[in-house]
Amino acid sequence: MPKRRRVGNLLALAVLSVLVERPRHPYEIATVLRERGKDQDMPIKWGSLYTVVANLERHGLVAAAESGRQGRRPERTVYRITDAGRAELVDWTRELVAVPEREQPRFEAGLSVLGALHPAEATELLRRRLDRLTEQLDAQRAALARHAREVPRLFLVEAEYDLAVREAEATWVRGLLDELTTGSLPGLAAWRAWHETGAMPPEWAEPAERGTETH
């Protein structure tokens, strides 16, 4: 089970990962995170950055290093990571890398109720998804290859993982589409009849009532 963190927002992890390099003020932290595309790796609400930094300070994970003002700009506080913050960063990273945790993608939610659609419509929608996925994957591969010429691979492994997961999704969708278009998907005739007659096939009634645990 994941540990209960003093500051559990993943944005806190991103902040610690930037401050471990050197002290920065929140505006600079946000700039670095945006430049590195961290909002592609984890859910980030930029409006909560200052609250997250304040919570990290309250729990002793970061500390104010200095405050200063340049010209007419508002005063800015520069924060540094503390020893407790370094320990939290390392421990949190260990957990995220070593402990599998189930996530519920929106696509999985849609698949769980796919029977609500007529097979013909489901086929068309899956085909659209595959077309979009293919375009996105082409763009991702090109971007990864471009960055790989300038950035050490260590800092691109999360992009490699995302690409691999999305390629696996595309392969799976392609396989399901093949079964739908060739008619080889088990139960396809019953699924189609259900939508065309309005009557649930008898062979589905008991499993639908009972439900199944597959996860």
Side-chain angles (χ1 to χ4, degrees), residues 13-61:
L13 178 70
V15 169
L16 292 174
S17 74
V18 169
L19 290 184
V20 77
E21 299 170 0
R22 65 176 177 82
R24 289 183 166 97
H25 53 72
Y27 181 83
E28 186 182 7
I29 292 171
T31 300
V32 171
L33 291 177
R34 284 194 174 97
E35 288 176 349
R36 295 178 181 176
K38 271 291 176 282
D39 52 347
Q40 302 297 313
D41 306 329
M42 58 184 73
I44 288 181
K45 294 183 179 178
W46 297 109
S48 64
L49 176 63
Y50 284 86
T51 300
V52 167
V53 171
N55 287 336
L56 287 170
E57 183 180 25
R58 182 160 57 88
H59 288 284
L61 302 176

Side-chain angles (χ1 to χ4, degrees), residues 21 37 56 81 89 108 110 117 204-205 208:
E21 299 170 0
L56 287 170
I81 194 169
L89 172 61
E108 187 173 336
L117 304 175
W204 286 13

Side-chain angles (χ1 to χ4, degrees), residues 76-174:
R76 288 178 175 174
T77 301
V78 173
Y79 292 90
R80 62 175 178 80
I81 194 169
T82 63
D83 289 343
R86 289 175 184 272
E88 179 74 353
L89 172 61
V90 171
D91 187 63
W92 202 346
T93 303
R94 284 172 177 159
E95 178 189 293
L96 290 172
V97 172
V99 181
E101 186 178 359
R102 272 198 58 77
E103 300 172 0
Q104 280 100 27
R106 288 166 56 87
F107 182 42
E108 187 173 336
L111 290 173
S112 73
V113 290
L114 189 64
L117 304 175
H118 189 284
E121 183 180 11
T123 300
E124 175 57 28
L125 293 173
L126 286 167
R127 190 173 287 117
R128 285 189 213 169
R129 183 182 188 91
L130 183 59
D131 287 344
R132 290 170 181 164
L133 267 174
T134 300
E135 291 176 3
Q136 292 169 3
L137 286 169
D138 288 343
Q140 275 187 269
R141 292 188 193 99
L144 186 58
R146 185 170 62 254
H147 292 313
R149 291 194 291 268
E150 304 172 356
V151 180
R153 188 179 174 202
L154 174 61
F155 302 109
L156 295 174
V157 289
E158 76 278 12
E160 289 182 6
Y161 169 76
D162 182 63
L163 178 60
V165 169
R166 289 166 67 79
E167 285 178 332
E169 179 187 328
T171 298
W172 185 87
V173 170
R174 195 174 290 112

